[in-house]
């Protein structure tokens, strides 16, 4: 199982900036990428094709989308279908990112619909889960993660290829705040996710990668990567510069 080092650029970068950052990143990382690591760049839709082209020759590099709509085509103004993402040369997509849940109002059920649809359409899907600070303070971490995983995976078949499904644990209070979850909090949450995956997928649950996300930086990445059940990271702010993300990828 290769570790996945993912850069979520969110709503940042023009076409020229995205292409330049991807090219710079590939040049910095290519010769130094550990054999057991993969790099994933998740730019805005507008830059998917350009980034895919920029990293097409870089071994171990992949491109993904931040979102998609769970239909193959039709009258869904403003939306993007899985086939259009694949058409750009991207193979991954996120579902359930906390900003989509809490800023754009996506429900657990809709996230589940997207996750199953994306996998069924040939995308590799990264299902994001995570509790808000008030839920953590109220002792509800297990309850929230269980609810989000049950709904998020409800329509995913039990014989799902574990290579194509990834779960990202991103505590909402650690995203973009500079406040990284502590090792004990990460280990506890990832163990919970792992056990839930085992219940649903049996032995294959052990082969599904679990990423940590939330204020990952070059300085804290190596420690986070060394923790049990951490199979990679999902990075926002610190992934925007090639210098900082290359340091994370090679940490
Ligand atoms: P951050 O974002 O690294 O800026 O905290 C992580 C994410 O939202 O995926």
């Amino acid at each position: 199982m290769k570790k996945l080092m993912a850069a979520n650029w969110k709503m940042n970068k023009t076409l020229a900036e995205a292409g330049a950052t991807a090219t710079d990143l590939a040049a910095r990382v290519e010769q130094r990428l550990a054999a057991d690591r993969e790099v994933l760049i998740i730019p805005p839709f507008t830059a998917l094709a350009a980034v895919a082209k920029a990293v097409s020759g870089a071994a171990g590099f992949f491109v993904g989308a931040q979102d998609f709509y769970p239909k193959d085509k039709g009258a869904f103004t403003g939306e993007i279908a899985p086939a259009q993402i694949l058409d750009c040369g991207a193979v991954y997509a996120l579902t359930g990112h906390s900003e989509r849940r809490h800023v754009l109002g996506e429900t657990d059920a809709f996230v589940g619909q997207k996750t199953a649809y994306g996998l069924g359409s040939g995308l590799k899907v990264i299902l994001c889960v995570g509790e808000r600070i008030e839920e953590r303070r109220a002792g509800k971490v297990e309850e929230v993660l269980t609810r989000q995983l049950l709904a998020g995976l409800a329509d995913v078949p039990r014989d799902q290829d574990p290579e194509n499904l990834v779960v990202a644990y991103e505590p909402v209070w650690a995203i973009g705040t500079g406040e990284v979850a502590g090792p004990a909090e990460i280990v506890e949450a990832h163990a919970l996710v792992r056990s839930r995956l085992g219940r649903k997928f049996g032995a294959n649950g052990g082969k599904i990668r679990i990423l940590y996300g939330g204020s990952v930086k070059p300085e804290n990445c190596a420690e986070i990567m060394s923790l049990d059940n951490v199979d990679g990271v999902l990075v926002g702010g610190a992934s925007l510069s090639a210098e900082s993300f290359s340091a994370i990828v090679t940490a």
Side-chain angles (χ1 to χ4, degrees):
M1 175 160 69
K2 292 199 178 180
K3 309 271 187 197
L4 187 60
M5 317 300 282
N8 175 10
W9 286 351
K10 308 191 180 184
M11 198 173 71
N12 292 292
K13 296 192 187 291
T14 62
L15 202 46
E17 288 165 352
T21 309
T23 303
D24 188 4
L25 181 69
R28 285 170 187 264
V29 167
E30 237 190 322
Q31 306 303 324
R32 302 160 55 211
L33 185 63
D36 69 341
R37 288 193 182 185
E38 292 176 344
V39 180
L40 171 61
I41 304 177
I42 310 173
F45 289 129
T46 48
L48 279 176
V51 169
K53 190 166 172 229
V55 302
S56 61
F61 274 67
F62 298 88
V63 179
Q66 298 170 17
D67 187 32
F68 59 88
Y69 195 71
K71 292 282 180 195
D72 67 341
K73 61 176 152 187
F76 303 101
T77 301
E79 296 298 329
I80 306 282
Q84 295 173 308
I85 290 165
L86 292 162
D87 192 37
C88 289
V91 289
Y92 281 87
L94 300 177
T95 58
H97 188 277
S98 85
E99 287 141 24
R100 301 233 41 106
R101 291 179 189 268
H102 302 304
V103 183
L104 284 308
E106 291 192 8
T107 62
D108 290 340
F110 188 49
V111 171
Q113 208 183 317
K114 283 193 189 184
T115 303
Y117 193 90
L119 289 166
S121 305
L123 285 169
K124 294 174 186 280
V125 174
I126 304 176
L127 167 64
C128 306
V129 297
E131 81 287 355
R132 304 169 94 158
I133 192 62
E134 57 272 25
E135 292 165 330
R136 173 165 284 275
R137 290 200 183 115
K140 290 188 173 161
V141 175
E142 179 166 6
E143 183 187 317
V144 172
L145 296 186
T146 302
R147 190 193 75 229
Q148 292 180 343
L149 286 168
L150 280 175
L153 299 171
D155 295 327
V156 176
R158 285 185 188 276
D159 63 355
Q160 168 64 44
D161 180 348
E163 282 217 5
N164 293 344
L165 178 62
V166 180
V167 173
Y169 169 63
E170 298 202 298
V172 180
W173 47 273
I175 296 179
T177 58
E179 194 179 340
V180 68
E185 292 165 326
I186 298 175
V187 167
E188 187 190 17
H190 281 232
L192 235 146
V193 173
R194 181 70 72 207
S195 115
R196 220 358 97 185
L197 292 174
R199 282 211 217 176
K200 166 103 193 187
F201 300 109
N204 277 349
K207 299 182 195 158
I208 293 170
R209 289 175 289 184
I210 307 175
L211 315 185
Y212 169 78
S215 296
V216 174
K217 304 204 162 22
E219 307 80 61
N220 60 26
C221 184
E223 186 191 9
I224 292 169
M225 288 295 292
S226 74
L227 300 173
D228 273 359
N229 286 312
V230 173
D231 308 309
V233 286
L234 179 53
V235 189
S239 76
L240 291 171
S241 100
E243 185 183 6
S244 136
F245 192 59
S246 63
I248 287 173
V249 165
T250 55

